[in-house]
C-alpha cells in the first residue's frame, strides 16, 4: 500500500510516495522551498503543487512543525502566527481534494525510526529528539507513540526555552563548534533524562551528522544514538501516521 508522505519544514516542503510496509520511498523525493511568509494560504498552495506533482488522488500523511492537537495548530511555532487555531487537515483537504492526516514532524520522524530505524524492536520508553530550526520530540512506549509532546519547550533559564539554546539554528546563530554545541546538548539531554528516564534517546536533524564529535561531549547515563532514516524519516513517518490514523 502506498501513501503520499509530506514533510513540512522551515526551509523546504518535501514529499514522496511511501510503501508503508517496507518504509521505502517508491518515487524520487520532490522538494519545494517553504514560502516566505509561511502563511496558511501560501503553504496550502505549495501542498497542492506537491500533490499535483505526484498526480496523487489518495491519502496524504503530512508532518507539520508546530504544536498540534488532533490536527489543529496550538501555536504558529516557527512557521507563522496565522497558523494558530488552524485545523490543518481540513485546510489541506479543501485545497487539494485529497484526504489528509496531520502529525507533528518530530512524531513522524520518530515513527520512521521506531518502525524501520534506530528504535526498531526497542522495548520501553524511547524519545526521539530532532534538532533543526526548532527542537521537536516524539515519545514512544513499547513502540507506541504518545503524540504531541513538546520537549523542545522545556524551560532553560530566565523563561527561555531549550529550543532557543540548543537547536541547530542556535548553533548557527551563536557560531558554535561541534564541541561547544555538544556541551549545550549535554545540559539538554541530561535534563530530558531526568524528566523522562528513557531507555533510549534517538537524535535526529543536524546533530545526527558527525554525531561522534558531539557524542564525546555527551557522556551521559542513558543510551543516545543518531537517527538512521534521517532525510527521509519525516516523509516516511508521515505516511505511517496516516496509515494508523495517528493524531
Ligand atoms: C515545535 C515542534 C516541532 C519542532 C521541530 C518546535 O518549534 O514546537 O512542534 O516539532 O519545532 O520542527
Amino acid at each position: 500500500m502506498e501513501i503520499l508522505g509530506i514533510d513540512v519544514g522551515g526551509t523546504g516542503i518535501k514529499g514522496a510516495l511511501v510503501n508503508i510496509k517496507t518504509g521505502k520511498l517508491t518515487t524520487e523525493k520532490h522538494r519545494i522551498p517553504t514560502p516566505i511568509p509561511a502563511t496558511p494560504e501560501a503553504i496550502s498552495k505549495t501542498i497542492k503543487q506537491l500533490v499535483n506533482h505526484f498526480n496523487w488522488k489518495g491519502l496524504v500523511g503530512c508532518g507539520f512543525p508546530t504544536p498540534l492537537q488532533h490536527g489543529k495548530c496550538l501555536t504558529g511555532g516557527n512557521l507563522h502566527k496565522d497558523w494558530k487555531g488552524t485545523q490543518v487537515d481540513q485546510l489541506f483537504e479543501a485545497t487539494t481534494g485529497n484526504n489528509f492526516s496531520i502529525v507533528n514532524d518530530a512524531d513522524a520522524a520518530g515513527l520512521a525510526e521506531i518502525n524501520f530505524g534506530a528504535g526498531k524492536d526497542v522495548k520501553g520508553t524511547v524519545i526521539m529528539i530532532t534538532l533543526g530550526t526548532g527542537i521537536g520530540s516524539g515519545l514512544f512506549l513499547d513502540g507506541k507513540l504518545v503524540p504531541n509532546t513538546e520537549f523542545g519547550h522545556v524551560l532553560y533559564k530566565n523563561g527561555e526555552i531549550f529550543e532557543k539554546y540548543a537547536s541547530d539554528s542556535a548553533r548557527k546563530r551563536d557560531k558554535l563548534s561541534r564541541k561547544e554545541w555538544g556541551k549545550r546538548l549535554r545540559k539538554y539531554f541530561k535534563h530530558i533524562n531526568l524528566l523522562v528516564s528513557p531507555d533510549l534517546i534517538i537524535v535526529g536533524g543536524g546533530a545526527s551528522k558527525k554525531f561522534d564529535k558531539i557524542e564525546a561531549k555527551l557522556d551521559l547515563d542513558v543510551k543516545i544514538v543518531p537517527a538512521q532514516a534521517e532525510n527521509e524519516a519525516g516523509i516516511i513517518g508521515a505516511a505511517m501516521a496516516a496509515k494508523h490514523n495517528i493524531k
Side-chain angles (χ1 to χ4, degrees), residues 5-9 61-65 68 101-106 108 234-235 237-239:
I6 294 183
D7 183 21
V8 176
C62 178
F64 208 75
L68 293 170
S101 168
I102 304 295
V103 63
N104 173 261
D105 59 349
I235 295 175

Side-chain angles (χ1 to χ4, degrees), residues 184-205:
R184 289 192 184 188
L185 288 173
R186 180 173 196 280
K187 282 188 199 156
Y188 179 57
F189 288 130
K190 196 174 170 195
H191 198 53
I192 291 295
N193 192 28
L194 179 78
L195 295 177
V196 184
S197 301
D199 296 285
L200 176 68
I201 299 178
I202 305 173
V203 184

Side-chain angles (χ1 to χ4, degrees), residues 8 64-68 75 77-78 104-107 130 132-137 149-150 152-153 161 163:
V8 176
F64 208 75
T66 68
L68 293 170
T75 76
N78 293 313
N104 173 261
D105 59 349
D107 284 351
T130 62
T133 310
I135 294 185
S137 61
T149 60
E150 286 287 343
H153 285 247
I161 58 176
E163 172 173 293

Side-chain angles (χ1 to χ4, degrees), residues 36-209:
I36 304 170
T39 56
E41 205 193 344
I43 293 212
S44 12
K45 276 193 191 144
T46 312
I47 295 285
K48 192 173 166 61
Q49 274 176 273
L50 264 180
V51 170
N52 288 348
H53 171 87
F54 292 100
N55 194 18
W56 185 245
K57 306 275 180 264
L59 179 60
V60 186
C62 178
F64 208 75
T66 68
L68 293 170
Q69 191 183 23
H70 306 309
K72 183 177 181 175
C73 288
L74 302 182
T75 76
N78 293 313
L79 274 186
H80 192 279
K81 59 174 177 31
D82 285 359
W83 282 100
K84 188 176 175 182
T86 304
Q87 190 67 45
V88 186
D89 43 1
Q90 285 174 11
L91 175 68
F92 293 169
E93 280 169 9
T95 325
T96 62
N98 294 62
N99 281 330
F100 267 77
S101 168
I102 304 295
V103 63
N104 173 261
D105 59 349
D107 284 351
L111 280 167
E113 291 299 327
I114 281 283
N115 284 287
F116 306 110
K120 194 167 185 305
D121 300 326
V122 180
K123 290 268 170 273
T125 307
V126 175
I127 186 162
M128 167 97 201
I129 298 287
T130 62
L131 302 162
T133 310
I135 294 185
S137 61
L139 182 66
F140 295 82
L141 178 62
D142 292 335
K144 195 167 164 20
L145 175 68
V146 181
N148 303 323
T149 60
E150 286 287 343
F151 283 105
H153 285 247
V154 170
L155 289 181
Y156 169 55
K157 63 178 179 191
N158 302 332
E160 191 173 85
I161 58 176
F162 260 103
E163 172 173 293
K164 298 280 174 269
Y165 174 73
S167 60
D168 200 27
S169 49
R171 172 185 70 82
K172 289 178 191 149
R173 180 197 63 211
D174 296 342
K175 301 190 175 63
L176 303 178
S177 66
R178 294 263 147 184
K179 231 171 145 182
E180 289 165 328
W181 192 28
K183 283 189 195 159
R184 289 192 184 188
L185 288 173
R186 180 173 196 280
K187 282 188 199 156
Y188 179 57
F189 288 130
K190 196 174 170 195
H191 198 53
I192 291 295
N193 192 28
L194 179 78
L195 295 177
V196 184
S197 301
D199 296 285
L200 176 68
I201 299 178
I202 305 173
V203 184
S208 58
K209 297 157 205 146

